[in-house]
């Protein structure tokens, strides 16, 4: 209850910034397309995502056909949902895992801190995409693996921010008081520490969501994410890029959608970051940007 | 002290008005003037606008504040008066440091840690084009260092700020301010972070410099005892208005405004008169441990037990009774037998030693606190007093020696103490601004010890919290609020409520008043005294302020460099101090 009041002040402050409104509008448009698209698409165009609408790379219909003669607009409308779901799941996984590890490391200190943070340093030394490629090459392009791998690669980055924010509050008197009242560590982290580091974590949430969208789309583009014949934005870019000059919509529509979504979530993240920077009590919000830079 | 008779004013502020950007008034027409060589003290509590009024003399307003009216005129030694708020930025910047100088509160933060102190003073001189040659400037550096009572030799000038003590750092800050022989200096609580001995030195330095150079000084402070020592005239600020202005003698001895009277009476006195209006009057002037013990028991209607207070009971029996009390968290158990145990220590510390590496923080400290008694642990920063109280609370580092509660030894860390022991020893933190979780309501914070240390159900806990909030004179309706919706005093009450909610036998108060304004400080001290009488709780009152002794304590232990150098009843220690250090403390404590 209290956490929501303070979080809502953060959201209110963020909302007062113009970029938050623009960001939210952009995000809502793309999310709306992605969520409603699969249902509206066939009704709007009269085609299924996998049914043949005409000859390959023709300009009939709203956005023409792709290399296999399927309707591009229908496929575009249905291609966002999977991507979005994977991205959200991966972000959630990374954030929860990272926050838990980071708080544990920051609060406990000592060998546990070293173990967690040096372990995550090892993970950080792999480029995120390379790590994902490795795992997918070994196990195969499964949806759950995509979420798991991207989530895991987010975790050390979130953990750094969470650890830093935790260290900033862990010596506060109210935490010492909780220790004095023999509160178990789990509850101290959950009840005393977590509500005081939500600012930086909110910023991380936005940032990681943006990255997740990018990664899922990239992996699909490389043929390692979502597999054909499923309609997917990343995949569509790859399928239609050979006809970019003849029939550009198959590439342009998904590129635009991904770009708008990324810019939108980034703007929201930015406004959250500046709102958090304004409130002195929410730890050190700058660390969120520094650590992820 | 009287003001030097002069007709001109060096600094005059007229009808100064300042608002926040949002339109909330901070200063509502403040006027003051200072003659050459005069020290004007600007007194007020936090939020009264005293710093805003002081910084206006430099033509500076903090971010978020806008100047909406009034003028500040500055008369330098040679020439026309300058209107500080109307001149251009560049001109104003050249005034600062040369004609009007500022001495900030925290000396350590105001000095550049990477520059040697001689260089830092030299920089001020260069910026303002003091003198014509480097030789002249370096002569001035040595001169001004000598003026503030620091060594002026080359090797001292080559030191870095971190090689100096807090008092020396502040004197370097003063030297920087006085380097260009300004006509006006603004001092913003320059002694707040310093201990009393250093404070006296700094105050003397400031007084000597202002008289010697006929400098007008604006001294911003909340400490009326300091005002009495240094100021010629006093302006009392409240809610952005000057409520009273006059000579220091007049304002402090015969205050005309009700608010000033309140402030003056709130100041704790070494001789015990004045402050803590209600309880000091009701309480006998000197409370011996024996009478304190029975005092504690009386309100609970077990006065008959008080008769046996003088006949010592066997130790074991008392330890047993303490144990059986502890198992019933619901009642005011410790008070009920307070009379019986008046003579035996409820808390006993013996041979306590703590070291960080080679650095010895506490060395062989032994203390006893009897039931219902208040022991004042007096020490300056670095004396180890907080380390000691945290060791008792179980928050400290591993230590040698024993801490025992009613005869049974306590484990070093809270994790290995029993719930009953944890309930019995409670700790009130120094700053109410950091001791309450900003994201939890007051009721949630106060309820915390009950949740973890007792098995009361939710209804009983809620009732208990409301009862305790009332006990600390806080409306239970505050329970639903967040800490930042409360004032500092209210927060400290809530923190005290959290400590009392388990009816502890020993209450550790770590500098509980030092983060609060003077008048609020007095009410908190009052409250603690009343609670002690109502509940018979033994108290270890840790403080640096010897002036509080008569208001709260029965006995005093003086801690210095990790050792107890003197202990005894309040009368003994204040009346005939045996240790040199205590005498020095007493001599340096500013009086009104």
């Amino acid at each position: 209850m209290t956490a929501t009041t303070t979080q809502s002040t953060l959201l209110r402050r963020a909302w007062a910034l113009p970029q938050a409104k623009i960001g939210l509008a952009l995000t809502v448009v793309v999310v709306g397309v992605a969520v409603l698209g699969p249902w509206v698409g066939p009704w709007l165009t009269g085609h299924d995502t996998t049914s043949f609408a005409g000859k390959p790379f023709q300009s009939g219909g709203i956005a023409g056909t792709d290399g296999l003669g399927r309707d591009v607009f229908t496929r575009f409308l249905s291609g966002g949902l999977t991507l979005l779901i994977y991205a959200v799941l991966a972000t959630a996984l990374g954030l929860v895992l990272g926050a838990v590890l980071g708080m544990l490391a920051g609060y406990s200190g000592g060998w546990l801190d070293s173990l967690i943070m040096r372990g995550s340093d090892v993970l950080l030394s792999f480029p995120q995409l390379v790590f994902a490629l490795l795992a997918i090459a070994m196990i195969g392009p499964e949806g759950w693996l995509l979420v798991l791998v991207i989530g895991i690669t987010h975790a050390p980055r979130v953990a750094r921010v969470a650890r830093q924010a935790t260290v900033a509050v862990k010596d506060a008197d109210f935490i010492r008081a909780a220790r004095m009242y023999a509160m178990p560590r789990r509850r101290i982290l959950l009840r005393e520490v977590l509500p005081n580091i939500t600012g930086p974590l909110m910023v991380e949430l936005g940032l990681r969501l943006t990255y997740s969208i990018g990664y899922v789309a990239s992996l699909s583009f490389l043929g390692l994410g979502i597999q054909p014949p499923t309609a997917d934005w990343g995949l569509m870019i790859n399928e239609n890029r050979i006809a970019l000059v003849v029939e550009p919509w198959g590439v342009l529509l998904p590129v635009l959608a991904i770009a708008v979504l990324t810019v939108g979530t980034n703007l929201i993240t930015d406004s959250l970051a500046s709102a958090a920077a304004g409130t002195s009590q929410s730890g050190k919000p700058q660390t969120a940007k520094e650590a992820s830079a | 002290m009287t003001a030097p008779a002069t007709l001109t004013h060096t600094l005059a502020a007229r009808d100064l008005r300042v608002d926040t950007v949002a339109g909330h008034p901070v200063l509502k027409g403040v006027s003051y003037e200072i003659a050459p060589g005069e020290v004007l003290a600007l007194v007020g509590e936090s939020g009264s606008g005293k710093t805003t009024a002081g910084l206006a003399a430099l033509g500076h307003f903090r971010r978020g504040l806008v100047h909406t009216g009034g003028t500040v005129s500055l008369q330098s030694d040679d020439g026309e008066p300058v209107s500080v708020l109307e001149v251009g930025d560049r001109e104003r910047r050249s005034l600062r440091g040369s004609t009007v100088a500022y001495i900030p509160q925290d000396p350590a933060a105001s000095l550049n840690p990477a520059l040697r102190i001689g260089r830092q003073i030299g920089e001020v001189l260069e910026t303002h084009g003091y003198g014509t040659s480097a030789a002249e400037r370096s002569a001035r550096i040595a001169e001004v260092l000598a003026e503030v009572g620091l060594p002026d030799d080359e090797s001292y000038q080559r030191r870095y700020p971190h090689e100096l003590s807090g008092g020396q750092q502040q004197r370097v800050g003063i030297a920087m301010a006085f380097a260009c022989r300004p006509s006006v200096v603004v001092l913003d609580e320059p002694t707040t972070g310093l201990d009393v001995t250093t404070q006296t030195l700094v105050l003397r330095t400031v007084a000597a410099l202002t008289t010697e150079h006929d400098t007008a000084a604006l001294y911003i402070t909340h400490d009326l005892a300091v005002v009495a020592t240094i100021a010629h005239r006093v302006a009392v600020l409240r809610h952005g208005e000057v409520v009273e202005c006059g000579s220091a003698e007049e304002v402090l001895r015969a205050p005309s405004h009700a608010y000033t009277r309140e402030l003056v009476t709130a100041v704790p006195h070494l001789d015990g008169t004045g402050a803590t209006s209600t309880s000091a009057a009701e309480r006998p002037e000197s409370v011996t441990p024996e009478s304190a013990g029975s005092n504690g028991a009386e309100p609970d209607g077990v006065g008959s037990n008080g008769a046996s207070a003088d006949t010592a009971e066997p130790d074991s029996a008392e330890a047993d009774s303490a144990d059986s009390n502890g198992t019933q968290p619901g009642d005011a158990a410790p008070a009920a037998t307070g009379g019986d145990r008046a003579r035996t220590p409820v808390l006993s510390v013996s041979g306590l030693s703590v070291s960080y590496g080679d650095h010895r923080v506490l060395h062989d400290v032994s203390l006893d606190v009897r039931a219902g008694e208040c022991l004042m642990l007096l020490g300056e920063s670095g004396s180890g007093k907080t380390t000691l109280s945290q060791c008792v609370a179980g928050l400290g580092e591993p230590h040698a020696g024993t801490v025992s509660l009613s005869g049974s030894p306590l484990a070093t860390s809270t994790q290995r103490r029993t719930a009953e022991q944890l309930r019995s020893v409670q700790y009130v933190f120094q700053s109410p601004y950091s001791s309450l979780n900003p994201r939890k309501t007051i009721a949630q914070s106060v309820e915390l010890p009950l949740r973890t240390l007792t098995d009361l159900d939710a209804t009983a806990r809620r009732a208990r919290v409301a009862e305790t909030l009332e006990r600390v004179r806080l409306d239970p309706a505050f329970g639903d609020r967040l800490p930042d919706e409360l004032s500092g005093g209210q927060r400290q009450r809530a923190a005290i409520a959290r400590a009392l909610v388990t009816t502890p036998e020993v209450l550790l108060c770590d500098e509980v008043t030092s983060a609060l304004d003077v008048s609020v400080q007095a009410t908190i001290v009052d409250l603690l005294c009343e609670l002690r009488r109502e509940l018979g709780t033994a108290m270890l009152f840790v403080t640096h302020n010897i002036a509080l002794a008569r208001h709260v304590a029965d006995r005093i232990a003086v801690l210095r460099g990790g050792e107890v150098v003197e202990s005894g009843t309040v009368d003994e220690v204040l009346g005939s101090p045996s240790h040199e250090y205590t005498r020095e403390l007493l001599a340096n404590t500013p009086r009104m």
Side-chain angles (χ1 to χ4, degrees):
Chain A
M1 168 188 123
T2 53
T4 42
T5 37
T6 35
Q7 258 173 43
S8 73
T9 54
L10 179 75
L11 291 181
R12 225 187 0 259
R13 292 170 67 111
W15 182 242
L17 300 165
Q19 74 236 43
K21 297 194 182 79
I22 299 171
L24 194 71
L26 296 179
T27 311
V28 162
V29 166
V30 180
V31 170
V33 167
V35 171
L36 299 176
W39 287 276
V40 179
W43 170 78
L44 214 60
T45 59
H47 297 290
D48 257 348
T49 51
T50 48
S51 68
F52 293 98
K55 287 182 178 164
F57 297 131
Q58 295 294 310
S59 44
I62 298 173
T65 55
D66 68 2
L68 292 176
R70 295 169 298 195
D71 187 62
V72 167
F73 193 63
T74 316
R75 287 178 67 76
F76 164 70
L77 286 179
S78 339
L81 191 59
T82 345
L83 175 108
L84 216 59
I85 290 174
Y86 283 3
V88 167
L89 286 179
T91 310
L93 178 68
L95 201 72
V96 170
L97 204 63
V100 168
L101 288 175
M103 287 198 302
L104 212 57
Y107 182 75
S108 311
W111 65 268
L112 191 58
D113 184 18
S114 306
L115 189 74
I116 293 174
M117 294 324 287
R118 296 300 79 76
S120 66
D121 281 350
V122 171
L123 209 56
L124 275 174
S125 63
F126 290 104
Q128 270 183 293
L129 212 53
V130 172
F131 184 75
L133 287 174
L134 180 77
I136 292 163
M138 275 161 48
I139 300 174
E142 308 277 348
W144 60 265
L145 186 66
L146 223 58
V147 169
L148 189 69
V149 159
I150 295 172
I152 286 178
T153 53
H154 283 329
R157 290 165 173 83
V158 178
R160 295 194 122 190
V161 173
R163 177 183 178 272
Q164 217 48 46
T166 307
V167 167
V169 294
K170 81 163 186 175
D171 285 324
D173 284 344
F174 64 87
I175 305 251
R176 286 225 291 254
R179 273 215 299 272
M180 195 170 65
Y181 299 130
M183 209 181 193
R185 182 166 69 181
R186 195 157 36 92
R187 283 196 44 205
I188 291 184
L189 288 179
L190 213 60
R191 299 283 182 80
E192 308 283 334
V193 175
L194 186 60
N196 286 292
I197 63 169
T198 42
L201 285 183
M202 292 282 276
V203 176
E204 266 308 280
L205 173 74
L207 203 61
R208 294 301 143 205
L209 182 64
T210 310
Y211 280 132
S212 298
I213 295 165
Y215 288 132
V216 177
S218 317
L219 286 171
S220 298
F221 172 81
L222 295 173
L224 295 167
I226 298 155
Q227 294 297 307
T230 319
D232 172 76
W233 291 343
L235 204 56
M236 278 175 75
I237 299 171
N238 191 19
E239 285 167 351
N240 297 316
R241 74 196 150 94
I242 39 166
L244 186 59
V245 190
V246 194
E247 266 304 309
W249 289 118
V251 177
L252 283 188
L253 277 180
V255 164
L256 262 177
I258 294 173
V260 168
L261 182 61
T262 315
V263 169
T265 48
N266 248 319
L267 284 175
I268 296 176
T269 307
D270 268 4
S271 54
L272 275 177
S274 23
T279 55
S280 54
Q281 55 196 16
S282 20
K284 293 221 167 54
Q286 292 93 330
T287 52
K289 285 193 131 179
E290 281 162 21
S292 56
Chain B
M1 284 196 256
T2 50
T6 28
L7 293 169
T8 56
H9 298 302
T10 307
L11 180 73
R14 300 248 174 272
D15 195 32
L16 211 53
R17 286 169 192 280
V18 173
D19 287 358
T20 61
V21 178
H24 178 75
V26 175
L27 295 184
K28 307 167 191 164
V30 169
S31 304
Y32 56 81
E33 55 235 5
I34 316 171
E38 186 185 48
V39 178
L40 172 73
L42 212 50
V43 182
E45 303 200 327
S46 40
S48 63
K50 59 183 191 299
T51 300
T52 307
L55 288 177
L58 294 135
H60 176 76
F61 299 98
R62 272 175 295 181
R63 236 155 52 121
L65 297 182
V66 271
H67 171 231
T68 53
T71 57
V72 175
S73 82
L74 189 65
Q75 170 92 52
S76 56
D77 298 335
D78 45 339
E80 294 299 294
V82 186
S83 180
V84 180
L85 300 178
E86 279 156 29
V87 297
D89 269 351
R90 180 197 289 261
E91 206 175 328
R92 195 183 302 150
R93 217 173 293 138
S94 76
L95 280 178
R96 292 179 189 156
S98 57
T99 318
V100 50
Y102 177 68
I103 299 172
Q105 181 169 351
D106 183 358
S110 64
L111 297 176
N112 183 342
L115 283 186
R116 300 175 195 277
I117 57 163
R119 183 82 208 85
Q120 298 203 36
I121 300 171
E123 222 173 35
V124 178
L125 296 172
E126 272 167 41
T127 321
H128 294 288
Y130 182 94
T132 47
S133 63
E136 197 178 330
R137 282 196 282 271
S138 61
R140 176 62 187 153
I141 296 172
E143 187 188 7
V144 77
L145 277 174
E147 279 175 354
V148 296
L150 293 173
D152 55 359
D153 55 84
E154 187 65 23
S155 68
Y156 194 83
Q157 289 183 28
R158 291 184 58 77
R159 291 203 193 180
Y160 285 103
H162 70 262
E163 295 174 285
L164 310 179
S165 70
Q168 286 174 326
Q169 285 176 349
Q170 190 56 291
R171 276 186 280 168
V172 170
I174 294 172
M176 280 168 74
F178 277 92
C180 291
R181 303 189 199 280
S183 324
V184 177
V185 283
V186 178
L187 301 102
D188 190 0
E189 309 223 20
T191 62
T192 303
L194 307 175
D195 50 43
V196 282
T197 318
T198 323
Q199 169 171 305
T200 312
L201 259 174
V202 169
L203 289 179
R204 275 197 206 129
T205 311
V206 171
L209 284 174
T210 46
T211 11
E212 210 171 297
H213 301 296
D214 254 0
T215 312
L218 184 62
Y219 197 101
I220 303 167
T221 184
H222 67 274
D223 190 339
L224 286 176
V226 167
V227 172
T229 320
I230 191 167
H232 302 113
R233 287 194 308 125
V234 181
V236 181
L237 223 65
R238 188 195 193 191
H239 301 324
E241 283 171 296
V242 175
V243 294
E244 185 163 1
C245 186
S247 77
E249 188 71 14
E250 263 169 43
V251 174
L252 299 181
R253 296 278 164 256
S256 63
H257 193 276
Y259 176 66
T260 319
R261 272 199 294 278
E262 192 187 308
L263 273 187
V264 170
T265 46
V267 177
H269 284 252
L270 263 180
D271 50 10
T273 55
T276 64
S277 43
T278 50
S279 69
E282 290 165 18
R283 235 154 50 91
E285 216 31 343
S286 63
V287 187
T288 59
E290 287 77 14
S291 64
S294 41
N295 271 355
E298 273 158 18
D300 289 273
V302 284
S304 56
N305 281 355
S308 62
D310 293 337
T311 58
E313 296 265 327
D315 281 6
S316 58
E318 282 147 16
D320 286 348
S321 72
D323 286 346
S324 61
N325 288 333
T327 52
Q328 304 158 342
D331 60 15
T337 49
D340 290 341
R341 295 180 294 130
R343 279 188 172 278
T344 38
V346 58
L347 177 77
S348 154
V349 175
S350 64
L352 191 70
S353 299
V354 176
S355 316
Y356 298 134
D358 288 339
H359 179 60
R360 208 175 55 183
V361 184
L362 288 175
H363 179 65
D364 196 20
V365 172
S366 299
L367 294 171
D368 284 329
V369 187
R370 300 182 192 113
E373 177 193 54
C374 177
L375 174 70
M376 175 186 261
L377 190 61
L378 186 72
E380 297 188 334
S381 45
S383 63
K385 58 186 193 303
T386 295
T387 311
L388 174 57
S389 56
Q390 294 200 341
C391 281
V392 173
L395 292 170
E397 304 296 310
H399 54 77
T402 55
V403 177
S404 49
L405 180 73
S406 308
S408 56
L410 291 175
T412 317
S413 97
T414 48
Q415 278 147 19
R416 267 170 287 134
R417 292 186 182 179
T418 64
E420 177 214 322
Q421 287 171 335
L422 290 172
R423 281 197 302 269
S424 304
V425 180
Q426 290 289 335
Y427 193 93
V428 184
F429 290 87
Q430 172 169 4
S431 166
Y433 298 96
S434 76
S435 67
L436 299 169
N437 188 337
R439 308 277 159 121
K440 277 184 160 183
T441 64
I442 297 300
Q444 285 174 321
S445 284
V446 174
E447 194 191 8
L448 179 66
L450 293 176
R451 288 180 81 104
T452 55
L453 302 177
T454 68
D455 25 84
L456 298 176
D457 60 25
T459 337
R461 286 203 302 259
R462 213 168 307 132
R464 197 61 197 278
V465 167
E467 183 193 317
T468 315
L469 285 177
E470 254 167 38
R471 178 146 264 161
V472 297
R473 285 63 160 164
L474 203 59
D475 189 337
F478 278 113
D480 295 330
R481 302 209 191 165
L482 289 175
D484 57 5
E485 297 170 66
L486 270 62
S487 71
Q490 287 168 338
R491 289 191 204 197
Q492 195 60 291
R493 277 167 203 270
I496 292 172
R498 178 175 62 184
L500 286 176
V501 77
T502 57
T503 52
E505 291 182 59
V506 182
L507 190 62
L508 306 165
C509 302
D510 183 9
E511 294 267 23
V512 286
T513 56
S514 65
L516 305 171
D517 279 325
V518 193
S519 60
V520 181
Q521 188 178 323
T523 61
I524 293 290
V525 166
D526 273 356
L527 175 71
L528 285 172
C529 291
E530 283 167 34
L531 288 172
R532 185 160 71 93
R533 271 176 297 141
E534 283 171 26
L535 305 171
T537 315
M539 262 170 47
L540 185 63
F541 193 91
V542 179
T543 184
H544 68 280
N545 190 354
I546 198 171
L548 286 170
R550 286 215 197 270
H551 301 292
V552 295
D554 305 314
R555 289 192 304 128
I556 301 184
V558 183
L559 201 62
R560 191 197 187 190
E563 284 175 77
V564 175
V565 294
E566 178 159 8
S567 67
T569 64
V570 171
D571 283 330
E572 283 165 18
V573 174
L574 297 190
S576 51
S578 63
H579 195 274
E580 176 58 33
Y581 175 68
T582 320
R583 279 198 287 274
E584 196 183 298
L585 267 186
L586 281 168
N588 284 316
T589 301
R591 290 155 204 255
M592 292 204 17

